[in-house]
Amino acid sequence: MAGSAKYDMILDALQTLLETRDIRTISVSEIAQTAGIGKGSIYYYFPSKDAILEALVERSYEKPLETAKQLASRTEIPSFTRMAMIFQACRNSSLAFRRRDSAGEAMDAPEKAYIHQKYLNHLVTELKPALTEILTQSIQNGEIRFDYPAALAEIALIVLAVKIDNTLVPGTQEEIEHTIEGLISLMEKGTGNPSGSLNFLKTL
């Protein structure tokens, strides 16, 4: 069903409506009308409006996230380089979301927070397995020392996603940089790496 013409038409319709409408005021009937299909077709593909929104978020960031997930098997690339590429994918997805979100002037603060929650959940959930695999490989190769690669992956992704997105916890550029520097320091100390070894994160 995903990738079919009607499936994409439904997502396109919701995306169009979100440019001028509050998600809470958009009905499934309006999505169907905008897509030019019957309301029954909506429920063939999606159980609810919320499911349509989640699919739209997923489609919006499919390419950078797929690239990131493929890196887990690219063992010929140094682990820290792959980690940098993962974090860059995180940044690119966040910037893409912010550009689209800024166009939706009709959204109020609660709606933005709701959609951002959907986005951040998807980003962290999708990137975590790939980053965990890379960290596990680094541990097995003796590049880093850490007992909980999945926890480290999740912590890093949550901090980076929230701070780069800069909407759930807004801050100045200086505050964002200080938070990322703090994350770098904690990761270096926690994995037994020398100070400065993860400075590539400062460029994100």
Side-chain angles (χ1 to χ4, degrees):
M1 294 193 296
S4 70
K6 280 191 177 181
Y7 182 94
D8 286 326
M9 287 168 62
I10 294 167
L11 299 187
D12 291 341
L14 178 57
Q15 182 175 333
T16 298
L17 289 167
L18 283 172
E19 291 175 0
T20 56
R21 296 280 301 282
D22 185 317
I23 185 66
R24 294 167 297 182
T25 68
I26 298 171
S27 67
V28 172
S29 296
E30 288 175 306
I31 296 172
Q33 183 178 10
T34 303
I37 61 177
K39 183 177 178 180
S41 295
I42 298 281
Y43 291 111
Y44 175 76
Y45 292 96
F46 300 100
S48 65
K49 180 177 69 176
D50 196 53
I52 302 173
L53 177 59
E54 290 179 357
L56 178 59
V57 169
E58 182 177 346
R59 187 183 71 170
S60 298
Y61 311 106
E62 182 178 5
K63 187 174 180 180
L65 293 178
E66 184 60 32
T67 298
K69 287 186 281 187
Q70 290 174 357
L71 289 171
S73 63
R74 299 291 302 276
T75 54
E76 76 279 9
I77 302 175
S79 296
F80 285 156
T81 300
R82 286 185 286 157
M83 286 172 60
M85 295 168 75
I86 290 276
F87 293 138
Q88 189 64 49
C90 176
R91 178 180 183 275
N92 290 344
S93 295
S94 295
L95 291 176
F97 184 88
R98 277 201 318 217
R99 281 195 296 270
R100 181 133 114 222
D101 182 53
S102 64
E105 297 299 332
M107 293 187 198
D108 57 17
E111 182 185 11
K112 285 185 178 182
Y114 173 73
I115 293 179
H116 275 264
Q117 185 272 332
K118 293 287 185 185
Y119 157 70
L120 291 172
N121 177 71
H122 177 68
L123 183 67
V124 173
T125 300
E126 291 297 310
L127 284 178
K128 181 181 174 181
L131 184 55
T132 299
E133 177 62 24
I134 292 173
L135 288 169
T136 300
Q137 293 168 0
S138 298
I139 292 169
Q140 293 171 344
N141 295 335
E143 297 173 310
I144 65 175
R145 296 186 297 277
F146 201 77
D147 294 330
Y148 309 102
L152 181 59
E154 185 172 62
I155 291 167
L157 287 169
I158 288 173
V159 172
L160 286 169
V162 169
K163 294 311 294 183
I164 293 172
D165 179 74
N166 200 32
T167 53
L168 295 181
V169 186
T172 65
Q173 185 60 37
E174 183 179 16
E175 289 171 336
I176 293 172
E177 291 173 359
H178 285 167
T179 299
I180 293 178
E181 286 174 0
L183 174 64
I184 290 171
S185 178
L186 287 172
M187 289 183 68
E188 288 172 344
K189 292 176 181 177
T191 59
N193 280 274
S195 178
S197 59
L198 299 183
N199 275 345
F200 61 80
L201 286 175
K202 292 182 181 180
T203 64
L204 299 182

